[in-house]
């Protein structure tokens, strides 16, 4: 099996790139791969950039598992995805996500976990399509949407399953910046390196202070 995610260390910034050759779905294997690379980043980097291949960041959970004939596999994958989102949201290192194209469902929630989010200009869709496909938002998703999205867009984004263009997604709160495709990696690295001027211990402490309570509540619900 080819690598689902790759790792590159560039001047103290760990660049993790998702590429499963298909939808960049957060399958059990993809979740395990990203967690493994985050372990490595926490050991040797000072910031993280998470991105996808050209034209696609992620289409969300692997629907073949969710809709398959093994409910236990679907449950384990869902729990793993929730824990990964909470890990990213609380990671003591600065996290920059560069959406290299479409970011849908868990792919869009992933954007909400980052400290800085860039999108690629173009005909791409970003949003939470769960209610359009007969699914509710899980507790971690409700928390991230409530904490990170603009209140003006919350109903449209979280309840009405609106899909946004990158520029609209910026206004809604999924993104902080939209750049041309050929500028994305450079801009993401520049954003990550900008965080390196800050004191790492203080950064981690303030992030924990702001987000730790929400993360703990979500994880407690998963454990329950």
């Amino acid at each position: 099996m080819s690598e689902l995610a790759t790792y590159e260390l560039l001047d103290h910034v760990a660049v993790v790139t998702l590429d499963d050759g298909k939808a960049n779905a957060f399958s059990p294997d993809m979740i395990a791969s990203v967690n493994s690379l985050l372990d490595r980043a926490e050991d040797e980097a000072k910031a993280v950039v998470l991105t996808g291949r050209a034209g696609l960041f992620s289409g969300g959970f692997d629907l073949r598992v969710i809709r398959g004939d093994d409910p236990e596999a679907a449950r384990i994958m869902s729990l793993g995805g929730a824990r990964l989102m909470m890990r990213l949201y609380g990671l003591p290192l600065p996290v920059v996500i560069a959406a290299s194209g479409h970011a849908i469902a868990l792919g869009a929630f992933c954007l909400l976990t980052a400290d800085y989010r860039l999108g690629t200009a173009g005909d791409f869709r970003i949003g939470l399509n769960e209610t359009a496909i007969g699914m509710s938002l899980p507790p971690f998703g409700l928390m991230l949407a409530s904490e990170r999205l603009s209140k003006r867009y919350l109903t449209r984004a979280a309840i009405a399953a609106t899909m946004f263009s990158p520029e609209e997604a910026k206004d809604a709160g999924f993104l902080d910046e939209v750049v041309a495709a050929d500028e994305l990696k450079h801009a993401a690295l520049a954003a990550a390196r900008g965080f390196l001027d800050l004191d790492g211990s203080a950064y981690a402490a303030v992030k924990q202070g702001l987000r730790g309570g929400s993360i703990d509540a979500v994880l407690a619900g998963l454990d329950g």
Side-chain angles (χ1 to χ4, degrees), residues 99 116-122 124 126 165-171 175-181 183-184 187:
Y116 196 79
R117 297 81 47 85
L118 300 101
T120 305
F124 300 117
I126 295 172
S165 70
E167 286 293 346
E168 291 169 335
K170 178 182 174 182
D171 198 36
L175 299 174
D176 297 294
E177 183 180 355
V178 179
V179 300
E183 299 174 0
L184 184 66

Side-chain angles (χ1 to χ4, degrees), residues 143-156:
M143 181 273 284
L144 288 173
S146 180
E147 291 197 358
R148 300 305 306 277
L149 290 174
S150 165
K151 299 301 181 185
R152 296 183 296 113
Y153 283 87
L154 189 56
T155 294
R156 290 177 61 198

